[in-house]
Amino acid sequence: MTTQVTDHRGGVWSIAVPIPDNPLGHTLVHLLETDRGPVLIDTGWDDPDSWDTLVAGVTACGFAVADLHGVLITHHHPDHHGLSAKVREASGAWIAMHAADAAVVRRTREAEPGRWLDYLLAKLTAAGAPEDHLTPLREARAGGRGRRLPGRRAALPDRGIDPGELLDLPGRRLRAIWTPGHTPGHVCLHLEERHPVLEPGGGTAGGGTAGGRGRLFSGDHLLPGITPHIGLYEDPDERDATDPLGDYLDSLERIGRLAPAEVLPAHQHTFTDAEGRVGELIAHHEERLSGLRALLREPRTPWQLAVAMEWNRPWDRIPYGSRNIAVSEAEAHLRRLVKLGHAERVPGSDPATYRAV
């Protein structure tokens, strides 16, 4: 097992924790030294090899897992929150998360087996999914295979992360920034300390006063070469129509105004031009919305819209599970178009069909 650890200087490290059978490859778990002991930002996927890599990485940073003082979770997805229960068991560390994502974790743990499959079946049926896509889900439901959702073993957090809060980390200035979109409770964490490398006159990328704008642990909100998935916030009890894409675009603008000297994301690699990357992502979604509006000149269900959209591969090569994610993303964009007054549901349509306005 090879453990990839990067020293970012100033008491900050990253550990590449593998995600099994996933093209992303790994999650960058960050370790932040504090006067009370090291704190992790995210934990990685709940898998034995991932756990061994995390333990080896903490050791390579000069600490033991038992030394860990706390864990800050950027969002509830299993490649970020999966190992939190094992970390707490091994160290006694507290686990902190925004309340909106903590509610998702609680629902997932407490849900009656099969409830999420029922919910997914209902959602996909309403979106116009064909029978050959629904049949495997019905068979899974009948066979009682709704018990193994990723994240069911993840820890319930024991403290919250409040927007704008300067976190209680002695010796450090780390501020929480609520950035909903990828999940309802996603947070970025702004290290409000002068960058130890990007100092004025230091001659490195982002020089001048860049070092004074600190570093941003961006989770999945801002990645250097990937557009994060923005789908509907899945909640069987939700009655109000949310607007995740609108949330995401608003959050991006806030991060762009912050203009950190360097971004430390949870995937890929660090980068310095946060403002430029924010601009690229906003332009991407504006172009996508414009393209979808053109597609809706012909009325389509969310499923038909997802099939017609451009993805990183042809629709017939998109794996079964990824098609569900694609439909959720199509629905999030539809919600945005409806909210902007650019699309509407065709009255009386079942399944729901939408058209451009």
Side-chain angles (χ1 to χ4, degrees), residues 247-303:
D247 292 345
Y248 181 64
L249 295 172
D250 289 345
S251 301
L252 276 178
E253 290 180 354
R254 288 201 303 276
I255 294 301
R257 290 193 296 269
L258 184 69
E262 185 177 42
V263 179
L264 287 76
H267 302 288
Q268 299 189 298
H269 55 81
T270 61
F271 60 103
T272 55
D273 186 12
E275 293 170 283
R277 183 59 181 146
V278 163
E280 290 174 356
L281 287 166
I282 290 174
H284 163 79
H285 284 289
E286 288 176 347
E287 181 179 348
R288 200 157 179 78
L289 287 169
S290 177
L292 297 189
R293 193 178 180 190
L295 286 173
L296 289 172
R297 291 176 188 144
E298 172 189 332
R300 301 176 193 261
T301 66
W303 180 275

Side-chain angles (χ1 to χ4, degrees), residues 61-285:
C61 294
F63 304 97
V65 169
D67 298 332
L68 291 171
H69 170 57
V71 178
L72 297 161
I73 301 294
T74 62
H75 63 295
H76 72 81
H77 287 164
D79 56 324
H80 297 257
H81 185 39
L83 284 170
S84 54
K86 285 186 71 73
V87 169
R88 182 156 65 190
E89 180 183 351
S91 65
W94 46 260
I95 312 288
M97 181 185 288
H98 187 280
D101 272 22
V104 176
V105 175
R106 189 169 293 106
R107 284 196 305 271
T108 302
R109 287 170 60 98
E110 296 174 355
E112 182 181 338
R115 186 177 183 208
W116 286 97
L117 277 177
D118 290 339
Y119 173 69
L120 185 57
L121 271 165
K123 290 285 290 180
L124 287 169
T125 300
E131 189 59 35
D132 63 354
H133 187 85
L134 299 173
T135 296
L137 288 171
R138 291 200 177 102
E139 292 174 349
R141 181 67 180 95
R145 297 199 294 274
R147 301 172 182 269
R148 298 180 60 118
L149 282 172
R152 287 186 71 90
R153 296 196 301 176
L156 277 172
D158 37 47
R159 60 175 70 180
I161 298 178
D162 296 328
E165 171 188 14
L166 191 61
L167 299 167
D168 181 19
L169 301 176
R172 310 307 300 241
R173 285 189 60 86
L174 189 68
R175 192 174 301 278
I177 304 171
W178 184 33
T179 50
H182 184 56
T183 70
H186 191 290
V187 293
C188 293
L189 300 162
H190 185 209
L191 190 60
E192 297 178 339
E193 302 169 8
R194 184 168 294 279
H195 197 297
V197 177
L198 304 183
E199 290 290 345
T204 56
T209 60
R213 295 198 296 270
R215 291 182 273 185
L216 184 78
F217 300 100
S218 66
D220 282 0
H221 182 68
L222 192 63
L223 303 169
I226 298 172
T227 303
H229 166 66
I230 309 298
L232 296 187
Y233 298 146
E234 302 296 353
D235 179 359
D237 298 321
E238 184 63 63
R239 294 294 176 263
D240 298 325
T242 56
D243 180 19
L245 182 55
D247 292 345
Y248 181 64
L249 295 172
D250 289 345
S251 301
L252 276 178
E253 290 180 354
R254 288 201 303 276
I255 294 301
R257 290 193 296 269
L258 184 69
E262 185 177 42
V263 179
L264 287 76
H267 302 288
Q268 299 189 298
H269 55 81
T270 61
F271 60 103
T272 55
D273 186 12
E275 293 170 283
R277 183 59 181 146
V278 163
E280 290 174 356
L281 287 166
I282 290 174
H284 163 79
H285 284 289

Side-chain angles (χ1 to χ4, degrees), residues 292 295 300 303-311 315:
L292 297 189
L295 286 173
R300 301 176 193 261
W303 180 275
Q304 291 167 336
L305 187 63
V307 172
M309 289 168 69
E310 288 189 16
W311 304 101
W315 183 260

Side-chain angles (χ1 to χ4, degrees), residues 6-13 31-34 171-172 191 193-197 215 217:
T6 302
D7 184 353
H8 297 282
R9 309 276 294 274
V12 176
W13 293 262
L31 186 148
L32 179 66
E33 189 174 8
T34 82
R172 310 307 300 241
L191 190 60
E193 302 169 8
R194 184 168 294 279
H195 197 297
V197 177
R215 291 182 273 185
F217 300 100

